[in-house]
Amino acid sequence: MDALSTAVVLDARSETRDALDTMLASLIEAGGSDLHLTVDAPPMIRVHGELRPLPDYERLTPADTAMLVRSVLSPAQWTTFEQNLELDIAYDIPGLSRFRVNCFQQRNAYGAVMRAIPHVIKPLHELGTPQ
């Protein structure tokens, strides 16, 4: 791959990661726990146990989900993912949240579920635990 091709690929990966970070910020803003990326559905968020689509997004294509998954993986992680068709990683957006990410293959396409793990752990009284 020549320098221009590499630059184009890196730029597209950066734009895709920015789009994913926007989805994850919307998840946190809505008070959700998970972002689901699957083919033939818009990005979905889980809020209080119920899945709902993120507003203003269309159904994802196989190319969309592949780009979104690849945007958070290093080249070595991508190779491992392509070999095993499943991979668990951590992803962090400084100042927003950490995420546990499960990448998978489903219906001959890639997908992912990203679970928000807050930077600050709530105290027990805020979690509603019994005495």
Side-chain angles (χ1 to χ4, degrees):
M1 190 181 300
D2 64 17
L4 179 58
S5 297
T6 301
V8 169
V9 168
L10 292 176
D11 189 45
R13 184 172 181 221
S14 177
E15 286 179 28
T16 303
R17 185 179 288 202
D18 290 346
L20 179 62
D21 288 357
T22 298
M23 291 178 202
L24 291 168
S26 295
L27 166 73
I28 299 302
E29 185 177 302
S33 60
D34 302 278
L35 173 68
H36 295 253
L37 303 172
T38 57
V39 171
D40 292 330
M44 303 288 283
I45 60 173
R46 183 175 304 278
V47 180
H48 303 297
E50 293 187 25
L51 283 175
R52 64 180 181 201
L54 274 176
D56 303 322
Y57 286 92
E58 296 187 16
R59 292 172 176 249
L60 298 171
T61 67
D64 294 333
T65 59
M67 287 188 333
L68 288 163
V69 168
R70 191 168 195 162
S71 74
V72 296
L73 300 180
S74 70
Q77 289 170 326
W78 180 253
T79 299
T80 300
F81 175 61
E82 285 191 309
Q83 291 171 352
N84 300 327
L85 301 178
E86 185 170 37
L87 183 67
D88 293 317
I89 64 160
Y91 182 65
D92 182 66
I93 301 175
L96 182 67
S97 186
R98 296 174 293 162
F99 300 89
R100 184 180 69 214
V101 181
N102 173 251
C103 306
F104 55 86
Q105 181 181 19
Q106 177 182 30
R107 297 178 299 201
N108 295 319
Y110 297 142
V113 176
M114 303 180 166
R115 163 73 48 106
I117 311 286
H119 286 122
V120 177
I121 305 300
K122 292 181 180 180
L124 287 176
H125 71 276
E126 287 183 25
L127 294 173
T129 59
Q131 292 293 337

